[in-house]
Amino acid sequence: MNMREFIGVGGVALTADEYGSEEHPCVVLLPGLTQTRKVWESAAKALAQAGRYVISLDLRGHGGSDSPKDCNYSLDAFMGDLVAVLAQLESRPVVVGSNFGGWIGLAALGNTSAPIATGLVLTNPPPEFQSLNNKSIAKTVSERASSEDFDQGLFAGGFDFIKLQNKLEPAAKNLKLPTLLVRGIDSQISSSDATQRFAKLIPQAEVSEIEGAGNYVAFDKGDEFSALVLEFLENHVPHQPLQYVSGSDARTLRDAMGCFVTGITVVTTLDDTKKPIGLTVNSFSSVSLDPPLVSICLGNHVGSLDAFRAEKSFGINVLHTGQQSTSNVFASKGVDRFADIDWSTWEQNVPIIEGSLASFECIKKDMIIQGDHTIFIGEVVRAKFEPHRDPLLYFSGKYRRLHFG
Ligand SMILES: Cc1cc2nc3c(=O)[nH]c(=O)nc-3n(C[C@H](O)[C@H](O)[C@H](O)COP(=O)(O)O)c2cc1C
């Protein structure tokens, strides 16, 4: 997660957390009034993990964003901020807002015919404020909030909820985007009927209700809410698979290869002074059962390549979940990789890391240089394994572990 700054109306600096890769379809998360972007943390992570680029924004006068010196907390300023943020993004996002955040999104997106977003998710339709005045609404809204999270000038400036409400109906009718309206079954902000009524105003609206959730449905039932948002995104803004074609950069190919989950090994041999050497390798594969052959691919730039070329044998140690630090150490430069591990030797004298998930002792059978790597084929002469531990996995550039459902 990184921080990213945007410039809003009147030069107000708006702070956001960004999650995921900018190459992915974008989602902008807006918290409610008196909340900060931190409320979206777990949803943002879930969306990024599902392949979305997430911008989680603090509204003006909230969290890390500037408080406007002129105390401009008008609806137009909030809407203008969102439009300004969308203009500073590289792609058109789906806007997801909790309560007030969603109403800002609705007002901004329904007020323009410019294609500045690709979808909208909001929680609760705007409440029917008739019986209340601005002061009492401000009191209710700030009840659950921590006063450090927002500028106390927010309500002093006379934030106008009634004006907001008047803007939303016409905006809803004018909204030309797929829209998802989510309500917690126990919400006091809106009734089920009012939600359905409001949804009917929006040309492309879907409604979902979540059980066991109240006014803050996005956070009361965060996992269910994220799942609904993801389903909406997949239906309306499907994630375009990235593509590698001849001539594309090597990074894209590496990312494509990263979709293939592997275990992790440390392969070992001896250097010309007969000292142990080894490196982390996930390009380990079974080649043949009869004779028993395996392969590893070492980059031609790898420092220990000459030793693997020169030696007659090598060892392969498959790591378990408790050996993640071993994997890190054997991929790091400038450290004594064998300093903190127990190792021994078998018949071929190559280092065997004690307590590994499995260890293979191999006699080198062939070396084939292909492109920027050299494939080493080894005949397994001895293997020892511990079937009761879980393997350390590698997927999409990250360590993973098995998850049993
Ligand atoms: C999970 C993981 C898998 C790796 N797989 C390989 C591999 O298959 N082949 C390779 O040459 N390097 C691989 N590396 C990189 C080497 O471990 C790393 O470049 C190491 O520093 C090389 O050591 P050396 O140059 O000191 O011999 C991998 C690294 C990690 C973290």
Side-chain angles (χ1 to χ4, degrees):
M1 185 262 287
N2 294 315
M3 288 237 290
R4 186 168 168 180
E5 203 156 273
F6 296 89
I7 301 298
V9 171
V12 170
L14 302 168
T15 300
D17 289 331
E18 66 171 357
Y19 301 78
S21 159
E22 244 181 289
E23 289 159 24
H24 292 151
C26 183
V27 179
V28 171
L29 302 177
L30 301 175
L33 210 60
T34 72
Q35 291 181 322
T36 74
R37 65 191 194 279
K38 297 297 169 205
V39 293
W40 283 117
E41 207 168 304
S42 66
K45 284 181 187 158
L47 291 169
Q49 249 184 8
R52 304 284 161 169
Y53 172 57
V54 181
I55 293 289
S56 174
L57 186 75
D58 268 335
L59 302 176
R60 59 173 46 217
H62 291 72
S65 289
D66 272 0
S67 302
K69 290 197 183 67
D70 57 359
C71 245
N72 183 359
Y73 290 112
S74 65
L75 181 59
D76 285 343
F78 282 109
M79 286 164 56
D81 283 347
L82 177 59
V83 172
V85 168
L86 300 187
Q88 288 161 67
L89 288 170
E90 295 68 24
S91 61
R92 290 184 297 144
V94 169
V95 175
V96 179
S98 170
N99 298 344
F100 179 75
W103 306 331
I104 291 287
L106 176 65
L109 301 177
N111 217 25
T112 173
S113 50
I116 53 175
T118 48
L120 174 68
V121 179
L122 67 161
T123 64
N124 290 305
E128 285 154 3
F129 289 132
Q130 278 90 336
S131 55
L132 296 167
N133 59 37
N134 277 323
K135 239 189 186 150
S136 61
I137 298 166
K139 187 165 171 282
T140 316
V141 170
S142 50
E143 239 159 33
R144 262 176 63 153
S146 150
S147 57
E148 285 148 31
D149 287 346
F150 66 96
D151 175 16
Q152 297 309 299
L154 177 62
F155 297 121
F159 181 82
D160 197 338
F161 291 97
I162 313 292
K163 203 166 164 196
L164 165 71
Q165 193 189 19
N166 294 339
K167 280 232 168 165
L168 290 179
E169 253 195 50
K173 289 180 183 157
N174 195 37
L175 198 60
K176 294 183 183 67
L177 300 171
T179 303
L180 174 64
L181 186 51
V182 186
R183 175 181 178 270
I185 293 271
D186 305 323
S187 170
Q188 318 258 294
I189 297 178
S190 59
S191 67
S192 191
D193 286 350
T195 306
Q196 293 295 347
R197 265 201 312 276
F198 193 78
K200 285 213 174 81
L201 300 175
I202 304 172
Q204 303 174 54
E206 301 159 31
V207 178
S208 272
E209 294 193 286
I210 298 182
E211 273 187 45
N215 291 352
Y216 299 90
V217 56
F219 317 115
D220 291 346
K221 288 281 173 185
D223 289 349
E224 281 93 329
F225 182 79
S226 297
L228 277 179
V229 172
L230 276 173
E231 195 187 329
F232 175 82
L233 294 173
E234 283 310 316
N235 288 340
H236 297 287
V237 194
H239 189 270
Q240 298 291 332
L242 295 168
Q243 213 187 145
Y244 173 87
V245 287
S246 291
S248 298
D249 66 322
R251 163 97 194 268
T252 313
L253 180 61
R254 216 173 59 192
D255 290 348
M257 296 309 299
C259 297
F260 182 62
V261 66
T262 67
I264 299 186
T265 71
V266 166
V267 299
T268 56
T269 192
L270 301 173
D271 70 8
D272 52 2
T273 65
K274 300 299 168 199
K275 280 223 296 271
I277 53 169
L279 71 153
T280 303
V281 158
N282 69 341
S283 58
F284 168 53
S285 180
S286 163
V287 172
S288 158
L289 283 178
D290 187 15
L293 300 176
V294 293
S295 69
I296 52 168
C297 293
L298 300 188
N300 294 337
H301 63 280
V302 155
S304 43
L305 188 73
D306 287 345
F308 281 92
R309 283 174 178 281
E311 279 297 308
K312 290 193 175 61
S313 44
F314 57 87
I316 299 170
N317 302 277
V318 179
L319 305 186
H320 58 72
T321 47
Q323 291 176 303
Q324 189 170 319
S325 59
T326 305
S327 170
N328 287 333
V329 167
F330 277 81
S332 305
K333 302 276 180 202
V335 291
D336 177 357
R337 294 178 178 173
F338 286 87
D340 292 322
I341 56 156
D342 292 333
W343 59 278
S344 60
T345 55
W346 296 340
E347 289 79 10
Q348 302 300 317
N349 267 333
V350 289
I352 298 296
I353 297 178
E354 297 285 338
S356 296
L357 184 61
S359 290
F360 299 83
E361 197 179 43
C362 307
I363 294 176
K364 196 171 70 197
K365 283 287 160 192
D366 207 351
M367 279 185 301
I368 309 150
I369 300 175
Q370 279 296 329
D372 55 10
H373 275 62
T374 301
I375 307 164
F376 290 82
I377 308 281
E379 179 170 347
V380 178
V381 287
R382 185 170 165 188
K384 208 170 137 187
F385 54 101
E386 158 60 274
H388 302 298
R389 303 202 71 151
D390 280 352
L392 180 61
L393 304 181
Y394 201 65
F395 172 69
S396 204
K398 291 199 184 82
Y399 294 113
R400 314 278 175 149
R401 30 183 80 205
L402 286 177
H403 175 73
F404 297 100

